[in-house]
Amino acid sequence: MTTLPNNHYVDDAPYDPDEDIKSLDRPDLDAPSWQLIWRKFKRHKLGLWSGIFLLLAYLSLPFVGFLVPYTPNERNADHLYAAPQMVRLFHDGTFIGPYVYPITAEADLENFRWNYVEDRENPARLEYFCKGDDYNFLGLFRAETHLFCAPEGATVFLWGADRLGRDIFSRIFYGAQLSLTVGLIGITVSFILGITIGGLAGYFGGRTDWGVQRVIEVLRSLPELPLWLALSAAVPSHWGPMAVFFVISIILGLLDWPGLARAVRSKFLALREEEFVRAAEMMGAKPNRIIRKHLLPNFASHLIASAMLSIPAMILGETALSFLGLGLRAPAVSWGVMLNDAQNLASIEIYPWTAIPMLPVIVVVLAFNFLGDGLRDSLDPYSDH
Amino acid sequence: MKEAMIKRDTRMNAETTPLLQVNDLSIGFGDQPPIITDVNFSIDRGETLALVGESGSGKTITCRSLLRVLPRSAVIHSGTAVFDPKASAPVDLFSLSEKELRDVRGDRISMIFQEPMHSLSPLHRIGHQVAEVLTLHRGHSRASAKAEVVEKFRRVGFVDPERAFAAYPFELSGGMRQRAMIAMAMIARPELLIADEPTTALDVTTQAQVLELIKGLQEETGMAVIFVTHDLGVVANIADQVCVLRKGRVMESGPTDIVIGAPAHGYTRKLLAAAPAIPHSAQPSAARPVVDPILQLEGINKTFVSRAGSFFGKRREVQAVKNVSLTVERGKTFAIVGESGSGKSTVANIALGATAADEGGAIRYWPEKGALPVDVAHLDKSERQAFQREAQMVFQDPFSSLSPRMQIIDILTEPLRIHGIGTRKEQRERAAELLEKVGLDKNMLRRFPHAFSGGQRQRLSIARALALNPSLLVCDEPTSALDLSVQKQVLELLEGIRDDFGLSYLFISHDLAVVARIADEVAVMRQGQIVEQAAPDVLFTAPRHPYTKALIAACLEADVSQKINLQTVALGAGDPHTWPEAYAMQGSSLPPLVETEPGHLVRVNP
């Protein structure tokens, strides 16, 4: 530090007036955007963990038959409305590994309900890679090995059993197969419609844009639930569960696109004003090239984030429809179908575990929302802080 | 935690302590290395301190830290800011609680920001926003607050303060909004005003008036001002003390006449050398007729039709360009100067055929000397392709003009791919060659644009415009988003490639000083019309039109002895109806453009 007279201060650290214009200004930003987005997303812990959870959930879908002890429609006539069983580790103070107490049903003829009594004398240790009911592994071959199951003479109903004595834990996993994929199929339909229609409105503007905007407004003003009901009521009742499943997811997609179309349109309009797009136009690039090379790559990440935020709506939609009995029907298993069994207030009061399928709905919807939020926050990787 | 209150009796002499003393200030984001290191400055009562620096110097963070209005992740690592108001004991601003700080903000210390549109709430009448300070800090009733606000509005220059009180921000122009912001900042009679680039978003003539206003208010109230700016011209005109920042460190600080007049640090010298200046004395050269034109605009009009928001709404017409004629000579630079809304960028777009002009005018382009001109407004497909190879554009904003998803190599080869020129390998070689032409290194081909600084990105943008080997470049404010020192380098580059490749420029700028350097012919535009046109030495030494005179007078130079002549600025920048009679607008039309001397066109009644 040098202080000259008159309060004149001059920094005396070495200074080179000829800065090298060939050196990178921000080497940390020298990466493709997806890498920068990932770098930023990693710092959003809630979003990151939600993403990992959802990834695991989706990856496990094909292996559900192996992971759970029962198959979805396996009835256990002796254990109607069985209460959830605890998995314990210590019996009489000694460690004997995970086990359950076998339960037996007793009819309570005063209240007309089943009570279950644990047999505390005979702990039943869980078995692993054991034989159970057979299921279709990956849709390729029949298999009957389960990760764990109860030994002969005992049951393992982790989250209880329903009115037909089916294991709720296993059914929730099977239900995930449909409930989680309904969102993906729906979002695909909604994506295709949203991008095409929103893109057209954004690119051509003028009357096309005006028309699309009004259609969207009309669609958005329709009350959602009655519309779903009307559309699903139109599905012929003799169709098989899979056909109904596809139709339902397409219906959900058909009603979801306006939000996405709006997002696409506004992003399109904003990007068209960017100077790099104008530069490409002045170089003589055709609209097709501008859309493919300049517009789409720049809003792909926004689209993914908005998709993540619309999937929960689809999952909730399927649940609501099935709950009302207008979506998927038994023997298909989805969370909404399971909740349909819990419509009866009395049964929830006496057997509260029949409402457990609400938990995965809540967890998955929250996870998608956190993931979507995390993605949205990391979309602009170039802003500093 | 430091002691919030420093006992008054520990002070040696109350009169000589500065109003604000900042010591050893360090600020960082999260756990990253600090971006502000060991900044010290002090400001006395009634004094003006300028914090000067280029982008990334930390000047804004520094001034915002005083009121702790920082981005969420910013942390003040160390330092004290002892504020010593008249009415109470001195306090350290950094150790006040949020609640105590609220009593200081807007009351003892107030702040104005760069962008007046974003700092006023669009939903509230301006008067009420300003009056809020009084009701919050002074416990005024609504009526008495209104009376005071109206009085303040009159003082800051509103012609009809009652109407301004009831206006919404969008009803006012940028300059007027900034005046309202100043009124808001001044209403509680603060002892310290922090002005964060308050004039950067304004036109030069408005800037001169706003600066004058701040200076006048300061003399009246005796407040101190911290003025954050990148413009040494502003500093020389307004500051008593200067503090030059670079990358979060103080490079040099001291009294303005010493720092600006006899800078001791290399960085200050470099900044001063880079500040463009208007030549004061030059021999006007004799006018030469244009013998080899490359581009000619004749009688160009452009009317924009806006549909006022609704499908069925009435059409509203705005004439952005009125009867503009100009000729760009091959190998020379024709510059258009004007403030925002003058129609200069529209002319640039029309010249390239990117915007269609109204019927009636003509745009001619001569591919080579003596060839038949091409009619740019009516090109067929193959002619348009050929024209695009000949004429390219350099854009203003280096951060928006390069696609963030593309590598440099893709950006530079794109024009070649669009026009199907060369093989992949040849395109790559061409890209490397272009990079070297603009002073960058060919190992940057695989980099992404965001790794580059503003100046480097503007070089890339120029390289892309050169890819097709054009003869004409339209530069739309190519340097106005850049720091001064970088601006100079980019101008040098543009001059260099013009001379190397025999390029011709149509150069759009709002800055006369930039144009003075590069142009061979300058046209001054105002409200869609050219009001004066001449060679730069003629224009700058013998301007005729009051608007040109105002622009020249409003140019602030980094020279302490040059002060603004505000009368000239106010006269020329005002309503065209109030110009001297020979130049004034009659009804809705200006006088005709006449050649007063050879090569000097002025819109004046003969």
Side-chain angles (χ1 to χ4, degrees):
Chain A
M1 179 196 292
T2 316
T3 308
L4 303 173
N6 289 329
N7 233 348
H8 186 186
Y9 161 88
V10 180
D11 187 59
D12 48 10
Y15 166 74
D16 172 19
D18 302 309
E19 270 170 287
D20 188 9
I21 58 158
K22 293 186 178 179
S23 70
L24 284 186
D25 185 51
R26 296 290 307 270
D28 53 320
L29 288 183
D30 179 34
S33 349
W34 64 265
Q35 239 173 45
L36 298 174
I37 291 177
W38 170 238
R39 219 184 277 165
K40 202 164 172 185
F41 177 69
K42 269 194 302 194
R43 275 183 276 156
H44 194 288
K45 288 288 175 243
L46 201 52
L48 185 67
W49 285 111
S50 301
I52 294 174
F53 166 74
L54 288 172
L55 191 68
L56 287 178
Y58 275 97
L59 285 180
S60 68
L61 288 186
F63 310 104
V64 160
F66 168 72
L67 291 173
V68 297
Y70 297 97
T71 53
N73 292 314
E74 187 177 348
R75 291 182 57 179
N76 224 313
D78 296 337
H79 292 90
L80 309 183
Y81 285 126
Q85 288 172 280
M86 271 259 274
V87 174
R88 297 161 204 264
L89 297 173
F90 293 91
H91 180 66
D92 281 345
T94 46
F95 178 80
I96 59 166
Y99 71 94
V100 290
Y101 290 121
I103 48 173
T104 42
E106 278 178 8
D108 174 352
L109 292 179
E110 230 164 85
N111 296 320
F112 290 103
R113 55 175 289 185
W114 293 100
N115 285 333
Y116 283 87
V117 184
E118 285 180 337
D119 174 5
R120 297 242 165 195
E121 299 306 308
N122 300 307
R125 287 177 59 192
L126 295 181
E127 293 174 357
Y128 304 97
F129 300 103
C130 44
K131 296 263 177 283
D133 231 21
D134 65 335
Y135 57 90
N136 210 340
F137 187 75
L138 292 178
L140 296 175
F141 53 89
R142 308 296 299 176
E144 48 186 21
T145 310
H146 294 260
L147 180 61
F148 68 98
C149 42
E152 207 44 50
T155 53
V156 53
F157 296 133
L158 295 179
W159 288 345
D162 65 3
R163 75 192 152 84
L164 296 174
R166 297 172 298 196
D167 178 28
I168 290 181
F169 178 78
S170 306
R171 279 171 66 79
I172 283 178
F173 272 70
Y174 275 99
Q177 286 184 324
L178 292 190
S179 290
L180 290 182
T181 39
V182 95
L184 293 191
I185 297 179
I187 206 69
T188 316
V189 174
S190 151
F191 235 71
I192 295 170
L193 286 172
I195 293 179
T196 324
I197 299 177
L200 288 178
Y203 195 81
F204 291 106
R207 271 158 206 270
T208 322
D209 185 27
W210 190 87
V212 169
Q213 289 298 306
R214 299 298 89 79
V215 170
I216 289 177
E217 275 155 22
V218 171
L219 269 178
R220 288 231 140 172
S221 68
L222 298 175
E224 230 171 29
L225 206 57
L227 194 66
W228 284 345
L229 293 182
L231 285 173
S232 16
V235 180
S237 55
H238 60 270
W239 283 13
M242 283 325 275
V244 175
F245 166 73
F246 276 110
V247 174
I248 295 286
S249 33
I250 288 169
I251 289 174
L252 291 172
L254 282 178
L255 294 178
D256 183 72
W257 66 264
L260 203 65
R262 276 200 167 164
V264 170
R265 167 186 172 271
S266 57
K267 196 72 196 147
F268 230 105
L269 290 179
L271 277 173
R272 282 209 66 179
E273 297 303 313
E274 292 280 331
E275 286 184 347
F276 64 84
V277 176
R278 289 187 48 218
E281 277 171 359
M282 290 202 177
M283 280 175 232
K286 303 208 165 56
N288 183 13
R289 182 183 179 91
I290 289 177
I291 292 177
R292 269 187 307 112
K293 293 266 174 185
H294 294 279
L295 298 179
L296 274 180
N298 276 295
F299 69 53
S301 45
H302 287 261
L303 288 184
I304 292 169
S306 24
M308 286 304 153
L309 291 170
S310 355
I311 291 181
M314 307 255 173
I315 294 177
L316 288 174
E318 183 275 331
T319 311
L321 277 180
S322 306
F323 176 76
L324 293 171
L326 284 153
L328 302 174
R329 293 161 207 156
V333 189
S334 80
W335 296 337
V337 172
M338 294 176 72
L339 284 172
N340 183 256
D341 287 348
Q343 267 184 358
N344 184 341
L345 189 66
S347 85
I348 294 189
E349 213 175 313
I350 306 174
Y351 314 113
W353 51 89
T354 51
I356 285 182
M358 282 201 307
L359 285 183
V361 177
I362 295 171
V363 171
V364 165
V365 167
L366 280 180
F368 267 115
N369 279 326
F370 291 143
L371 174 64
D373 279 347
L375 282 177
R376 197 174 46 190
D377 290 349
S378 27
L379 279 185
D380 185 11
Y382 307 110
S383 65
D384 260 358
H385 304 288
Chain B
M1 199 72 192
K2 284 182 204 88
E3 278 283 308
M5 300 299 229
I6 294 163
K7 287 221 178 74
R8 202 163 245 277
D9 54 23
T10 59
R11 288 157 51 196
M12 301 296 287
N13 183 341
E15 291 311 305
T16 56
T17 51
L19 175 66
L20 177 75
Q21 170 88 46
V22 174
N23 277 325
D24 302 324
L25 174 62
S26 287
I27 304 174
F29 283 104
D31 41 12
Q32 287 159 3
I35 52 158
I36 305 285
T37 34
D38 302 332
V39 166
N40 296 291
F41 57 85
S42 71
I43 177 166
D44 288 333
R45 286 161 226 286
E47 216 182 39
T48 302
L49 167 76
L51 287 179
V52 193
E54 298 186 296
S55 54
S57 63
K59 55 189 189 301
T60 296
I61 294 276
T62 304
C63 81
R64 291 191 173 200
S65 72
L66 297 176
L67 289 181
R68 297 220 300 266
V69 278
L70 288 170
R72 237 184 318 161
S73 52
V75 190
I76 298 174
H77 290 317
S78 69
T80 54
V82 179
F83 177 60
D84 184 5
K86 260 186 227 145
S88 57
V91 290
D92 177 11
L93 293 174
F94 295 153
S95 47
L96 288 182
S97 71
E98 271 299 313
K99 190 171 167 298
E100 291 164 321
L101 193 61
R102 271 204 294 278
D103 294 334
V104 175
R105 284 186 193 145
D107 185 16
R108 305 268 50 94
I109 303 181
S110 57
M111 196 154 178
I112 12 183
F113 299 96
Q114 173 170 355
E115 187 37 79
M117 192 68 214
H118 296 158
S119 26
L120 288 167
S121 161
L123 295 178
H124 296 99
R125 294 181 193 279
I126 287 179
H128 293 147
Q129 296 185 49
V130 177
E132 196 183 7
V133 182
L134 289 178
T135 48
L136 274 182
H137 289 294
R138 293 280 189 274
H140 274 259
S141 70
R142 293 194 85 157
S144 70
K146 179 172 179 182
E148 198 158 324
V149 170
V150 168
E151 184 45 45
K152 198 55 106 185
F153 275 177
R154 179 166 294 121
R155 174 61 194 91
V156 298
F158 281 101
V159 184
D160 185 352
E162 292 276 349
R163 227 193 67 198
F165 189 91
Y168 288 96
F170 61 84
E171 295 177 59
L172 303 181
S173 69
M176 282 298 149
R177 280 199 289 264
Q178 201 56 294
R179 280 171 200 268
M181 274 305 290
I182 292 171
M184 189 195 291
M186 296 298 304
I187 193 85
R189 302 177 186 284
E191 286 172 55
L192 176 62
L193 174 70
I194 302 174
D196 183 5
E197 304 235 18
T199 58
T200 306
L202 305 176
D203 286 325
V204 274
T205 52
T206 322
Q207 158 171 302
Q209 292 165 6
V210 168
L211 288 180
E212 196 57 32
L213 171 66
I214 294 178
K215 232 155 74 175
L217 286 167
Q218 185 182 16
E219 274 161 24
E220 278 168 37
T221 61
M223 65 173 175
V225 178
I226 295 182
F227 206 99
V228 178
T229 182
H230 66 278
D231 188 339
L232 287 167
V234 172
V235 175
N237 268 279
I238 198 167
D240 303 307
Q241 299 280 329
V242 191
C243 177
V244 182
L245 287 169
R246 174 173 174 269
K247 296 188 176 169
R249 287 176 61 90
V250 178
M251 292 288 113
E252 181 164 4
S253 68
T256 307
D257 42 354
I258 297 181
V259 176
I260 301 287
H265 196 278
Y267 181 64
T268 321
R269 280 200 290 269
K270 181 180 161 193
L271 280 183
L272 281 166
I278 291 179
H280 289 294
S281 54
Q283 283 303 313
S285 53
R288 300 168 301 103
V290 174
V291 287
D292 180 14
I294 183 165
L295 182 78
Q296 187 173 55
L297 272 63
E298 200 180 300
I300 294 296
N301 285 290
K302 177 66 192 175
T303 313
F304 285 108
V305 181
S306 76
R307 240 197 340 259
S310 143
F311 194 64
F312 307 105
K314 265 207 183 128
R315 290 148 57 96
R316 212 161 54 86
E317 292 193 350
V318 181
Q319 191 159 19
V321 176
K322 285 179 212 161
N323 195 19
V324 164
S325 304
L326 56 88
T327 308
V328 184
E329 194 173 359
R330 197 177 300 277
K332 303 275 184 200
T333 301
F334 188 99
I336 303 179
V337 182
E339 303 193 324
S340 51
S342 62
K344 56 190 191 302
S345 289
T346 312
V347 172
N349 281 317
I350 289 173
L352 280 184
T355 302
D358 296 350
E359 281 303 315
I363 313 163
R364 298 187 197 96
Y365 177 80
W366 287 266
E368 52 199 285
K369 189 175 179 178
L372 277 179
V374 182
D375 179 4
V376 176
H378 307 95
L379 295 172
D380 66 26
K381 216 170 152 192
S382 63
E383 283 171 336
R384 172 159 296 280
Q385 258 206 341
F387 179 67
Q388 276 158 348
R389 290 190 196 186
E390 290 284 317
Q392 279 293 317
M393 188 150 185
V394 177
F395 292 89
Q396 171 176 2
D397 179 5
F399 288 91
S400 142
S401 58
L402 307 171
S403 169
R405 309 279 150 147
M406 290 167 101
Q407 290 181 338
I408 302 308
I409 183 160
D410 296 323
I411 291 173
L412 293 184
T413 54
E414 193 183 21
L416 302 171
R417 274 180 280 142
I418 290 172
H419 289 270
I421 298 170
T423 62
R424 285 242 142 194
K425 187 157 168 286
E426 284 164 6
Q427 289 174 356
R428 206 166 30 240
E429 280 161 7
R430 172 82 180 138
E433 186 192 331
L434 286 168
L435 270 186
E436 284 178 353
K437 256 184 210 169
V438 295
L440 298 173
D441 201 88
K442 67 166 183 269
N443 67 19
M444 290 172 168
L445 280 177
R446 289 285 166 200
R447 307 278 177 196
F448 284 86
H450 275 277
F452 294 90
S453 67
Q456 288 171 325
R457 304 187 60 162
Q458 201 57 301
R459 284 168 193 268
L460 291 169
S461 192
I462 293 169
R464 175 179 59 189
L466 292 178
L468 291 169
N469 252 332
S471 324
L472 172 72
L473 277 192
V474 174
C475 306
D476 188 2
E477 304 240 18
T479 60
S480 55
L482 304 176
D483 282 327
L484 280 185
S485 57
V486 181
Q487 170 172 317
K488 185 179 169 214
Q489 295 169 355
V490 170
L491 283 177
E492 279 166 1
L493 172 71
L494 282 171
E495 284 170 336
I497 53 179
R498 177 189 62 191
D499 301 340
D500 288 354
F501 303 107
L503 291 174
S504 318
Y505 291 158
L506 178 58
F507 195 96
I508 314 291
S509 180
H510 69 277
D511 190 344
L512 271 182
V514 165
V515 162
R517 179 191 171 108
I518 197 167
D520 298 297
E521 178 89 7
V522 183
V524 179
M525 274 187 83
R526 168 89 200 231
Q527 294 184 353
Q529 304 185 59
I530 294 178
V531 294
E532 184 162 9
Q533 179 183 334
D537 32 13
V538 176
L539 197 75
F540 294 133
T541 47
R544 291 275 315 263
H545 198 277
Y547 182 64
T548 317
K549 287 181 181 166
L551 280 183
I552 294 173
C555 258
L556 302 174
E557 286 181 35
D559 180 349
V560 197
S561 58
Q562 294 281 333
K563 298 284 176 188
I564 322 172
N565 180 350
L566 214 69
Q567 252 178 332
T568 317
V569 174
L571 176 69
D575 190 334
H577 291 99
T578 63
W579 284 340
E581 212 191 324
Y583 305 95
M585 182 182 264
Q586 305 289 339
S588 64
S589 60
L590 284 173
L593 198 60
V594 289
E595 189 160 20
T596 52
E597 310 155 38
H600 192 167
L601 302 169
V602 186
R603 219 166 257 287
V604 62
N605 283 315

